[in-house]
Amino acid sequence: MTNEDLATLDGVGPAMTSKLRSAGLTTVEAIAVTPPREIAKKTGIGFNTVLNIVAAARKSACVDFITAEELWKKRQNMLKCSMGSKNLDELLGGGIETQAMTEFIGEYGVGKTQICLMLCVMAQLPLEKGGLNGNVVYIDTEGTFMPERIFEIANALGVDPHKTLENIFLARAYNSSHQCLLTDHLFKFCPENDIKLVIVDSMIGHFRGEYIGRENLSERQQTLNSQLHKLLRLTEAFNLPVIVTNQVLANPAQFFGDPNKPAGGHVMAHACTHRVYLRRGRKGTRLAKVIDSPYLPENSTRFKITEKGIEDVQE
Ligand code: GTP
Ligand code: MG
């Protein structure tokens, strides 16, 4: 991915550039993939001008038609971040992918946040050690981010815990509209701070808490959908993985098998590239199962949560 200067776009002068930048549209790619109506609203630039800018950006970033060969090349830039467990990495085809959104689903206490905390440390490792060699953004909607836990995991991995903490940028989202604001800000924040991993824990908590009742469901789903699509665009624009966590709902109509299903309905299901369902297993272990992915098989594996973070279960 190139980070071409906005000023190279036809018809975009310094004033326009600064409007785009302050709206978080800092790269040609970001402009090319953001809906024009949204750009106009955020920047105050007239809609017709925005259409021209977007057209120029699309031309420059080659986002209209590309050949499958070009897509193949783009996907060669894809990186994978280890989760510290070989089995979990294998389940996900070698680790958490960039240019994709991975969702961890499960009931309270199953280990969603623990996986996120582990990834905060792993992502900072150099590529040859399974990391992404960059910094991390953590959008915490539940106030469960624990620096002590990062300290512990970093120590166990033999990396400097204070440096590790320095490289994690935390934002506590207090409600769904604050969460939306933070997501918007990421398009500016990520390239400026060498962010290589974005975590939203939990994606859905505020939405479920605020939009109560059937009459508010469609508005909730629309807002959630637009947020998820922004996060997806972020993965492509900056070649990074986005991790979201999701809760489960009890499904009273279910007679056999697991009575829980992921929250967020079809919107969540369609937006996330890979969905991983977590459950409690024998002897305190955890089961992870891929339930939806464009190319990963629906396998499952076990892992455990220890003071070192996430580890393989010795069979
Ligand atoms: P919610 O956010 O409530 O939906 O749950 P979650 O899925 O995020 O759960 P979380 O990741 O917070 O997992 C909490 C569980 O991790 C605890 O119940 C412990 O079993 C386990 N855990 C956390 N820290 C440690 C640790 O240092 N050692 C061990 N062995 N287990 C730990
Ligand atoms: Mg949690």
Side-chain angles (χ1 to χ4, degrees), residues 41-250:
K41 205 170 134 200
K42 276 193 196 158
T43 58
I45 301 171
F47 187 62
N48 286 331
T49 314
V50 169
L51 286 181
N52 290 333
I53 298 174
V54 169
R58 286 185 182 161
K59 206 168 146 203
S60 159
C62 301
V63 290
D64 277 339
F65 281 100
I66 60 165
T67 64
E69 167 72 8
E70 282 167 324
L71 177 61
W72 186 80
K73 281 201 184 121
K74 182 179 165 209
R75 290 181 61 80
Q76 297 307 297
N77 294 331
M78 186 207 276
L79 301 169
K80 293 184 181 183
C81 183
S82 168
M83 282 168 278
S85 144
K86 214 168 139 263
N87 291 340
L88 261 187
D89 290 348
E90 268 169 25
L91 182 75
L92 289 180
I96 299 283
E97 283 177 6
T98 63
Q99 304 176 32
M101 184 147 67
T102 303
E103 175 192 13
F104 287 97
I105 309 155
E107 57 180 21
Y108 66 91
V110 78
K112 302 179 294 294
T113 300
Q114 295 301 315
I115 289 182
C116 295
L117 296 173
M118 183 73 183
L119 279 166
C120 284
V121 183
M122 294 301 293
Q124 298 186 36
L125 299 180
L127 300 186
E128 63 276 14
K129 293 212 167 135
L132 299 171
N133 196 23
N135 300 334
V136 180
V137 157
Y138 199 110
I139 298 182
D140 182 6
T141 69
E142 300 178 325
T144 52
F145 179 91
M146 285 297 144
E148 296 83 352
R149 194 70 178 116
I150 297 288
F151 204 96
E152 200 175 35
I153 296 171
N155 264 334
L157 282 169
V159 293
D160 183 343
H162 290 288
K163 270 197 195 132
T164 307
L165 288 166
E166 281 287 335
N167 295 335
I168 303 169
F169 296 86
L170 269 176
R172 175 84 168 89
Y174 289 99
N175 54 53
S176 68
S177 77
H178 186 205
Q179 188 178 332
C180 295
L181 200 75
L182 290 167
T183 309
D184 285 349
H185 192 47
L186 289 175
F187 286 86
K188 188 162 187 280
F189 194 85
C190 289
E192 284 176 3
N193 293 283
D194 194 27
I195 301 301
K196 293 288 161 63
L197 167 68
V198 170
I199 293 170
V200 186
D201 181 22
S202 101
M203 186 66 214
I204 196 143
H206 285 316
F207 288 92
R208 282 184 72 194
E210 290 166 34
Y211 295 84
I212 299 163
R214 278 209 166 270
E215 65 280 18
N216 295 314
L217 194 61
S218 86
E219 191 191 337
R220 176 191 101 174
Q221 290 302 82
Q222 261 174 33
T223 317
L224 184 64
N225 197 23
S226 110
Q227 286 303 299
L228 287 165
H229 279 92
K230 275 182 196 164
L231 291 170
L232 255 180
R233 294 206 295 273
L234 195 75
T235 70
E236 298 228 353
F238 304 117
N239 191 28
L240 51 79
V242 168
I243 303 291
V244 299
T245 65
N246 187 9
Q247 304 154 339
V248 289
L249 298 170

